[in-house]
Amino acid sequence: MAGQVAIGSRSGLRSALPLLLPAYLWLTVAIFLPLSAMVFFSFMTELPLSGKAWSFTLDNYTAFLSQGLYPTLLLASLRLGLEVTLWCVVVGYPAAYVLAKVLKGRSREAIFLLVILPFWSNGLVRIFSWAMVLREGGILDTALNAVLPIKINIDLMYSYPAVIIGLVHSYVPYMVLTCYLTLQAIDGSLIEAGRSLGASRLQVLKRIVIPLSMPGLVAGAALIFVPVVGSFMEPRILGGRTGTFYGTVIEDQFVAVFNWPLGAALSFILLAVVLVILAVASPILRRAA
Amino acid sequence: MAGVQVSNLSRSFGAHKALDDVSIDFADGGFYALLGPSGSGKTTLLRQIAGFDFPDFGRIAIGGESVERVPIEKRRIGMVFQNYALFPNMSVADNVAFGLSVRGEPKAVIAAEVQRALDLVQLGKLGSRRPHQLSGGQRQRVALARAIVTKPRVLLLDEPLGALDKALRVDMQIELKRIQREIGITTIFVTHDQEEALTMSDRIGILRDGRLVQEGPPEEIYDRPKSEFAATFLGDANIFRGDSTGNGIRLQDGTAIAAGAGAKLAAGAKASCAVRPERIRIATDTGTPNAPNANVLRGQVSKRIFAGNNSTYFVERAGQTLKVIVQNTGAERLAEGQDVVLRWSPESTVLIAAG
Ligand SMILES: Nc1ncnc2c1ncn2[C@@H]1O[C@H](COP(=O)(O)OP(=O)(O)OP(=O)(O)O)[C@@H](O)[C@H]1O
Ligand SMILES: [Mg+2]
């Protein structure tokens, strides 16, 4: 019996191989090669391309610990990632629920389009649009003062909230999409069954809908948290002086200081930390579901 | 406990009328079977009563009070869904416990009630399983346990026994009937199985294309169908079509068929007569002489199907195939190809207006 199963799965793999091959070839070329080059760089004293003499070293990694700035910034970035992820849940989950369970037909398509729109607009354009909205005398400021009787000053530009707003806007579509998919798959009769058994809407949400859509929430959170921790564009443009994060420091190493080995080492430390966090968090979240 | 009254209920999906002016009085504590072909609106009717969907017209009252503004969770209804609708994220026991736990019952009470309900549906040992680890029949029983554990006022069952094998089905029918009597709960039961409808319910309603075709006690519907549809949908019937003679019909070839006393239709109009296969006696040409007044037809046996306790004869007569069911009494069986005489009394004949 066990032998049969093994044979079955092996022949399954063999027949799947032609289908998998293009994807894995592409992944190897596009991700694995540059990534291994970066691993290599991260253990060097100098970039070999620069023509200077180089040797292997661990200094780039020890620099992270010896300079208190890096761990502090990493913590700040992790906090940023957490906050943005939470806001994405708060904004994205209800939107996904309405899309999946309330709207039908045309209106669903229209709202879907609105949600996807940030995906299709250029990242820089998106961020600079926010800059115009958030700065003093900008669109938000002017609009609010036009409506409100008292004069108030809205200047969110170059602040932590501005960074959050920009990042949430960029990343919330991931949350909407992943949650939409899992919510969509929940049979409407489950909700009706819950209600007929005496549960209020809120109780049904808490005990049936959210647990069943947990995989979407977790997937969305992972898709958002990881890139946000390493983000640099939004913090730099919308955060100004307050926008120094781990990601911007890494970017500096690559584009300003040209210390690629240090930049690479910092990136891999980030990657390791994020992987550890995901490994610890995912079973907890799964159990909660 | 409470009865359910639906009056003039209509519900359309686009141009399609899923329910069309349906009025039924589901008596308090009664067991009501809803029958009808697929797509006739049975589920739609249950959904209106449960409050999952709202009628375009008409009124629903539970326990004498209109429920128009009563939300689902306040209607105190137990529903077993056609697709079971068990919560996949919970164990069997938690599924059954759901209704009690959202009500905030103490843990010990819940545990005891859940065990009792699971024992009732013979699933006492499977409480820790997940729904996907159960067979179709077991899932149905969990759904039933979940619906009754909250002691609802009305039990809505959408083909709750459809996935069970014959033996378990009969077991569950008896169980269900016992539970229903014990707690005296008003039960509305959708089924495709006529025998189930006939044996279990004290009233039957037949739906067709969203309309209530006929309703009444099982005996009445079976013995006095008001339409060809009702006659053939609930049980088997031989249908003869012809012109009304007032208390019977005349077939195209001139043969008269008399219906029972009380049958009355304007003479000359198109009409039909329905006769149940088990009401017809079949004999060889040389058999018993005519009883006075009996309807008599001659034909030829084209096929015989032996089913143990009875046999079904298919008799060809003037291009029509008639069905006759004969109990297995050990009497001589008729061969295929044999010329036979069919006799039945007018009292076994129902006159139906065409249309
Ligand atoms: N939400 C809906 N939208 C559109 N049409 C619907 C909807 N619900 C039901 N219908 C239509 O209404 C009619 C009645 O459906 P219903 O589910 O009540 O049938 P049913 O008698 O329960 O059939 P079955 O025995 O197959 O379960 C069908 O023609 C169905 O296609
Ligand atoms: Mg149905």
Side-chain angles (χ1 to χ4, degrees):
Chain A
M1 193 62 211
Q4 272 176 343
V5 170
I7 290 166
S9 60
R10 210 181 307 145
S11 71
L13 187 65
R14 199 179 305 146
S15 61
L17 212 58
L19 296 174
L20 292 174
L21 215 55
Y24 277 100
L25 268 179
W26 168 248
L27 283 179
T28 313
V29 173
I31 297 175
F32 190 69
L33 288 183
L35 211 62
S36 27
M38 277 295 159
V39 175
F40 192 58
F41 290 161
S42 72
F43 290 104
M44 290 178 164
T45 50
E46 290 287 345
L47 210 57
L49 310 173
S50 63
K52 290 182 206 152
W54 59 273
S55 60
F56 284 113
T57 175
L58 281 175
D59 284 357
N60 297 317
Y61 286 92
T62 50
F64 176 81
L65 291 175
S66 59
Q67 295 199 29
L69 174 71
Y70 295 136
T72 312
L73 284 178
L74 181 55
L75 274 182
S77 281
L78 289 174
R79 184 183 143 209
L80 180 71
L82 204 63
E83 276 186 42
V84 169
T85 307
L86 281 179
W87 280 112
C88 283
V89 172
V90 169
V91 175
Y93 191 81
Y97 185 87
V98 169
L99 271 174
K101 290 278 170 255
V102 181
L103 296 178
K104 302 240 146 50
R106 270 294 161 87
S107 49
R108 175 188 286 181
E109 284 166 24
I111 304 286
F112 222 113
L113 209 65
L114 284 180
V115 172
I116 308 289
L117 223 49
F119 261 168
W120 293 344
S121 57
N122 178 288
L124 270 177
V125 172
R126 203 161 56 215
I127 296 167
F128 278 111
S129 324
W130 273 114
M132 295 206 296
V133 171
L134 297 175
R135 68 161 203 271
E136 186 175 13
I139 296 169
L140 185 66
D141 194 23
T142 319
L144 275 180
N145 279 312
V147 191
L148 294 176
I150 44 162
K151 169 84 187 138
I152 51 165
N153 245 345
I154 300 276
D155 183 13
L156 284 174
M157 199 53 193
Y158 304 130
S159 69
Y160 188 66
V163 177
I164 298 266
I165 289 173
L167 282 169
V168 168
H169 181 226
S170 299
Y171 286 97
V172 79
Y174 290 102
M175 187 58 79
V176 176
L177 287 179
T178 55
C179 289
Y180 172 79
L181 289 178
T182 47
L183 284 167
Q184 176 82 326
I186 298 176
D187 190 342
S189 64
L190 294 181
I191 296 169
E192 291 171 351
R195 295 288 301 283
S196 73
L197 288 165
S200 64
R201 281 171 201 279
L202 200 66
Q203 281 171 315
V204 167
L205 187 71
K206 269 204 318 227
R207 304 179 62 154
I208 299 168
V209 176
I210 291 181
L212 286 176
S213 53
M214 203 42 110
L217 279 167
V218 172
L223 281 177
I224 293 167
F225 180 74
V226 177
V228 167
V229 173
S231 67
F232 53 86
M233 215 155 62
E234 288 87 351
R236 177 145 293 161
I237 299 170
L238 296 173
R241 256 184 303 111
T242 64
T244 307
F245 287 95
Y246 197 73
T248 58
V249 169
I250 294 177
E251 192 213 1
D252 281 341
Q253 302 311 315
F254 281 99
V255 302
V257 190
F258 291 110
N259 190 350
W260 282 32
L262 180 59
L266 291 177
S267 299
F268 284 113
I269 289 169
L270 172 62
L271 185 63
V273 169
V274 163
L275 284 180
V276 167
I277 291 175
L278 289 184
V280 172
S282 70
I284 295 174
L285 287 172
R286 208 168 307 139
R287 206 164 323 126
Chain B
M1 293 308 133
V4 178
Q5 289 82 38
V6 305
S7 338
N8 310 105
L9 217 58
S10 292
R11 174 73 169 108
S12 298
F13 298 106
H16 178 81
K17 285 187 172 172
L19 288 178
D20 189 1
D21 199 27
V22 172
S23 301
I24 308 180
D25 190 346
F26 301 96
D28 187 359
F31 197 111
Y32 196 105
L34 277 177
L35 275 175
S38 187
S40 58
K42 305 181 295 293
T43 299
T44 306
L45 178 55
L46 293 194
R47 292 175 56 79
Q48 315 295 315
I49 297 172
F52 303 150
D53 191 32
F54 296 96
D56 304 323
F57 299 105
R59 184 171 169 279
I60 301 169
I62 300 178
E65 278 171 41
S66 170
V67 289
E68 200 178 342
R69 291 181 194 289
V70 181
I72 304 168
E73 65 268 28
K74 298 269 164 59
R75 293 195 182 190
R76 297 211 283 125
I77 272 170
M79 172 117 181
V80 174
F81 289 76
Q82 205 164 1
N83 65 353
Y84 323 136
L86 299 179
F87 307 130
N89 55 320
M90 300 178 200
S91 69
V92 164
D94 288 343
N95 262 279
V96 178
F98 186 87
L100 299 172
S101 102
V102 293
R103 236 190 249 166
E105 302 272 355
K107 281 228 161 54
V109 173
I110 294 179
E113 291 284 322
V114 167
Q115 194 55 47
R116 177 131 38 102
L118 283 177
D119 287 339
L120 206 61
V121 295
Q122 304 171 18
L123 288 177
K125 293 201 180 70
L126 299 187
S128 56
R129 292 241 191 123
R130 287 287 173 122
H132 68 86
Q133 297 167 317
L134 300 178
S135 73
Q138 289 169 335
R139 281 179 219 180
Q140 269 185 341
R141 285 182 281 155
V142 175
L144 186 60
R146 184 179 69 177
I148 56 177
V149 79
T150 55
K151 304 211 163 51
R153 297 188 291 178
V154 180
L155 195 54
L156 304 177
L157 307 168
D158 203 347
E159 302 197 35
L161 308 180
L164 305 183
D165 64 56
K166 186 79 187 166
L168 194 54
R169 200 180 169 109
V170 171
D171 265 8
M172 290 303 297
Q173 287 174 357
I174 295 170
E175 254 337 297
L176 190 59
K177 195 69 192 153
R178 192 182 62 70
I179 297 165
Q180 190 263 338
R181 265 207 220 98
E182 208 168 84
I183 42 185
I185 187 170
T186 310
T187 302
I188 306 175
F189 183 89
V190 168
T191 176
H192 269 130
D193 183 336
Q194 327 164 357
E195 201 182 309
E196 195 166 87
L198 288 169
T199 54
M200 294 184 73
S201 55
D202 36 49
R203 267 184 107 78
I204 293 178
I206 298 181
L207 284 174
R208 181 197 197 185
D209 296 335
R211 294 189 140 268
L212 185 66
V213 175
Q214 188 174 356
E215 70 123 25
E219 298 84 356
E220 183 185 310
I221 298 199
Y222 190 80
D223 291 340
R224 304 258 148 258
K226 285 185 189 154
S227 60
E228 280 185 24
F229 178 80
T232 50
F233 192 78
L234 189 72
D236 245 330
N238 295 298
I239 303 284
F240 301 96
R241 296 199 182 91
D243 298 315
S244 168
T245 58
N247 66 341
I249 59 169
R250 188 171 300 284
L251 304 182
Q252 246 171 1
D253 62 6
T255 315
I257 291 179
K264 243 178 208 82
L265 269 182
K270 292 271 174 226
S272 27
C273 278
V275 191
R276 299 288 180 196
E278 71 276 12
R279 296 292 185 86
I280 301 178
R281 275 164 296 135
I282 186 169
T284 54
D285 258 344
T286 55
T288 43
N290 290 356
N293 307 329
N295 290 308
V296 181
L297 289 178
R298 284 169 194 284
Q300 191 181 39
V301 175
S302 64
K303 202 166 153 197
R304 179 172 71 92
I305 295 173
F306 177 67
N309 63 352
N310 66 49
S311 293
T312 304
Y313 290 96
F314 292 87
V315 178
E316 293 299 325
R317 190 248 155 219
Q320 189 179 9
T321 306
L322 305 175
K323 242 185 180 181
V324 180
I325 295 178
V326 178
Q327 287 306 306
N328 183 356
T329 55
E332 184 200 357
R333 288 173 190 132
L334 301 167
E336 294 178 0
Q338 174 115 44
D339 287 321
V340 289
V341 180
L342 306 178
R343 297 184 178 84
W344 69 95
S345 72
E347 280 64 45
S348 299
T349 313
V350 185
L351 182 63
I352 295 167

